[in-house]
Amino acid sequence: DEKKLASVHMALSKWARGNAKGVLQTVFSSWKHDASVAAGERKTEAALDVEREKMERYLEDERKRHGEELNKYKTEAELLKARAHQAVLDSVDKWILGNEKGSV
């Protein structure tokens, strides 16, 4: 349908301005329109790239923060486990060696 419209436009332009000038005017108008559309698409792509980079930085920061939080809780859990293990060892020492020697 676009080709038909362009063909009619070309024929009318050639009729109104003469063969050479009509073709030149039609081609220039088409080029100008295509260049304008391409520039708009490049501008949109650039804006999308900027937003994509911002989102990737945000996600990377969130992943890093999550990893730090996870390590914090993991470290706290490891400390609790070590304290519990030491308490069990202390109890076993007291039981084996007696209260006086085991508490030394």
Side-chain angles (χ1 to χ4, degrees):
D1 201 39
E2 257 184 61
K3 284 186 177 187
K4 288 180 184 178
L5 183 62
S7 177
V8 169
H9 183 56
M10 174 76 80
L12 289 174
S13 184
K14 285 167 57 175
W15 174 77
R17 292 181 185 86
N19 200 23
K21 284 185 180 180
V23 169
L24 185 64
Q25 177 64 33
T26 302
V27 169
F28 181 75
S29 288
S30 295
W31 172 81
K32 183 178 176 185
H33 175 13
D34 290 346
S36 175
V37 168
E41 288 175 356
R42 284 191 303 271
K43 186 176 179 181
T44 301
E45 282 294 320
L48 284 173
D49 287 342
V50 167
E51 289 300 316
R52 185 179 298 115
E53 288 175 14
K54 284 167 59 176
M55 185 57 69
E56 287 174 357
R57 276 184 273 145
Y58 172 75
L59 287 173
E60 185 61 34
D61 290 344
E62 285 299 309
R63 285 185 189 114
K64 184 178 177 182
R65 187 185 62 78
H66 177 70
E68 289 171 356
E69 285 288 319
L70 188 62
N71 285 339
K72 176 183 167 187
Y73 288 116
K74 184 178 177 182
T75 303
E76 287 177 8
E78 288 172 349
L79 288 173
L80 287 173
K81 184 178 177 182
R83 284 189 208 137
H85 183 69
Q86 189 60 45
V88 169
L89 290 178
D90 291 344
S91 296
V92 169
D93 284 344
K94 283 184 182 181
W95 179 65
I96 292 174
L97 300 174
N99 280 338
E100 291 179 22
K101 293 182 182 176
S103 61
V104 174

